[in-house]
Amino acid sequence: GGPARRAGGAGPARCCAFCGDARSVWACLVCGELGCGRYAREHAKDHAAATRHGHALELETGRIWDYADDRFAHRVRPVADGERLAC
């Protein structure tokens, strides 16, 4: 119960909006809701499944999870000077 905690919002920082757990907290990149990770109580994963919000940021490491591909999203490699992009 209660209002959801969102990244940057009021209330206790860096804890799951559902259970208050501060271990492995993830922020939804669509709405900012905070949820605990799959090695805690999986509330971030449950939120993604219920809302179809596809990406979350792990606050501790800065890594981004892609729920549709079930893997970490990787950074786009910058294009070097003079390199051409294939279309």
Side-chain angles (χ1 to χ4, degrees):
R5 291 185 186 97
R6 300 195 188 286
R14 297 184 179 249
C15 62
C16 177
F18 301 93
C19 68
D21 198 331
R23 297 173 295 152
S24 183
V25 178
W26 293 76
C28 175
L29 290 179
V30 175
C31 70
E33 185 159 278
L34 300 178
C36 58
R38 60 180 74 206
Y39 298 111
R41 295 182 182 151
E42 297 190 334
H43 288 124
K45 182 180 174 185
D46 293 346
H47 169 77
T51 61
R52 294 182 158 191
H53 292 172
H55 295 87
L57 172 74
E58 186 177 25
L59 297 183
E60 185 176 336
T61 66
R63 296 183 299 176
I64 295 172
W65 186 258
D66 179 337
Y67 286 102
D69 289 340
D70 197 32
R71 65 182 177 100
F72 285 104
H74 296 283
R75 293 184 190 151
V76 175
R77 182 180 61 82
V79 177
D81 287 340
E83 184 178 357
R84 295 186 58 164
L85 293 175
C87 295

